[in-house]
């Protein structure tokens, strides 16, 4: 069983990272979780409270039992950068680690760096070391995994591109507001659904992220030479 755990934001992201991990042949080294017990991953994805990231704290606390059983020796936390500064996101991770593991004094000083945390194994009192690290996903200053997927698409995307171009103008006629992260998620949906599927397949199961990332991975080039993609793969390789 893999000794490294990768914690991601939600079930949709889980399928993406598992596809990348399979592509670089690390599936026997890395395990990805999306929904630890009693953890609301929508809250993790939307969490913006740097001082008290409660959902992420619950996720980290849920690992304590597995850590005491020596199930993991490395834990990686991957989050979308969103529209935040890197240091703000790093503070969120550190605050969550400190709250979840109050006996630890270590902090992550940067992304992609392994930092040892020491835990006491009950009832023997043996000290266990688990290395933690984090990575923030972005592309060209935009902070969603879909931004990165958009940059490595392999098929023509006239419908998705046209909607993406004109939708902001259409929204000006209403009170509806969409963030950049909402717009790129819509682009992704239109690309995988309307640009790349025949009409009779434009519904589940063909459009679920699980199906896309196992049966339709030809929609993306995971070997494309893009700095942000290379950095993500290097992080995953370091965690293996």
């Amino acid at each position: 069983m893999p000794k490294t755990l990768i914690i991601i934001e939600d079930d949709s992201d889980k399928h993406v990272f598992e596809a990348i991990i399979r592509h670089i042949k690390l599936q026997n080294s890395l395990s990805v979780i999306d929904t630890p017990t009693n953890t609301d991953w929508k809250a993790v994805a939307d969490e913006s409270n740097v001082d008290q990231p409660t959902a992420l704290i619950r996720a980290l606390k849920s690992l304590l039992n597995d850590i005491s059983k020596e199930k993991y020796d490395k834990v990686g936390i991957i989050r979308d950068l969103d529209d935040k500064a890197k240091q703000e996101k790093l503070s969120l991770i550190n605050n969550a680690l400190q709250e979840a593991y109050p006996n630890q004094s270590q902090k992550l000083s940067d992304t992609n760096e392994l930092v040892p945390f020491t835990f006491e194994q009950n009832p023997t009192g043996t000290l266990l070391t688990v290395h933690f690290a984090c990575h923030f996903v972005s592309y060209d200053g935009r902070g969603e995994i879909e931004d990165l997927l958009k940059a490595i698409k392999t098929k023509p995307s006239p419908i998705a591109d046209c909607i993406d171009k004109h939708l902001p103008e259409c929204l000006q006629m209403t009170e509806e507001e969409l963030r950049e992260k909402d717009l790129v998620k819509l682009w992704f949906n239109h690309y995988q659904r309307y640009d790349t599927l025949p009409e009779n397949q434009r519904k589940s199961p063909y459009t679920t992220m699980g199906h896309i990332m196992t049966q339709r991975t030809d929609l993306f080039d995971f070997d494309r030479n893009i700095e942000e993609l290379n950095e993500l793969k290097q992080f995953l390789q370091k965690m293996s």
Side-chain angles (χ1 to χ4, degrees), residues 160-178:
D161 293 342
C162 183
I163 294 173
D164 190 59
K165 178 180 179 180
H166 295 289
L167 185 56
E169 181 181 344
C170 299
L171 291 173
Q172 291 178 4
M173 296 181 286
T174 73
E175 295 183 358
E176 186 71 26
E177 291 187 14
L178 290 180

Side-chain angles (χ1 to χ4, degrees), residues 110-145:
D110 203 351
T111 55
N112 309 327
E113 291 185 357
L114 287 164
V115 177
F117 282 60
T118 303
F119 298 86
E120 187 173 297
Q121 185 183 34
N122 293 321
T124 65
T126 304
L127 295 181
L128 305 173
T129 298
V130 178
H131 288 80
F132 284 78
C134 67
H135 180 82
F136 303 141
V137 175
S138 66
Y139 174 70
D140 194 27
R142 297 181 295 275
E144 301 295 315
I145 187 63

Side-chain angles (χ1 to χ4, degrees), residues 7 33 36 39 41 44 54-63 101:
I7 304 176
I33 62 167
T39 299
W41 277 105
V44 173
T54 54
L56 185 55
I57 291 167
R58 290 199 304 272
L60 291 169
K61 283 183 175 180
S62 74
L63 302 180
Y101 313 132

Side-chain angles (χ1 to χ4, degrees), residues 131-239:
H131 288 80
F132 284 78
C134 67
H135 180 82
F136 303 141
V137 175
S138 66
Y139 174 70
D140 194 27
R142 297 181 295 275
E144 301 295 315
I145 187 63
E146 287 85 359
D147 288 308
L148 191 53
L149 292 172
K150 183 178 180 180
I152 62 172
K153 74 174 182 78
T154 59
K155 310 294 183 185
S157 54
I159 296 175
D161 293 342
C162 183
I163 294 173
D164 190 59
K165 178 180 179 180
H166 295 289
L167 185 56
E169 181 181 344
C170 299
L171 291 173
Q172 291 178 4
M173 296 181 286
T174 73
E175 295 183 358
E176 186 71 26
E177 291 187 14
L178 290 180
R179 301 165 295 178
E180 287 294 326
K181 64 185 299 178
D182 300 317
L183 291 173
V184 74
K185 290 179 188 297
L186 285 172
W187 179 93
F188 179 87
N189 179 62
H190 296 141
Y191 169 64
Q192 62 88 10
R193 187 184 300 265
Y194 299 107
D195 281 317
T196 60
L197 282 176
E199 185 175 357
N200 64 347
Q201 293 183 4
R202 290 173 182 168
K203 57 184 179 181
S204 183
Y206 304 103
T207 58
T208 65
M209 189 64 83
H211 185 84
I212 295 166
M213 291 299 158
T214 55
Q215 307 300 318
R216 303 174 59 203
T217 52
D218 63 317
L219 297 183
F220 308 100
D221 178 6
F222 292 122
D223 288 321
R224 190 162 297 172
N225 187 20
I226 289 178
E227 180 180 0
E228 292 87 346
L229 177 61
N230 292 338
E231 289 176 352
L232 172 59
K233 291 192 289 187
Q234 288 166 7
F235 172 76
L236 293 171
Q237 288 164 344
K238 178 181 287 190
M239 297 303 297

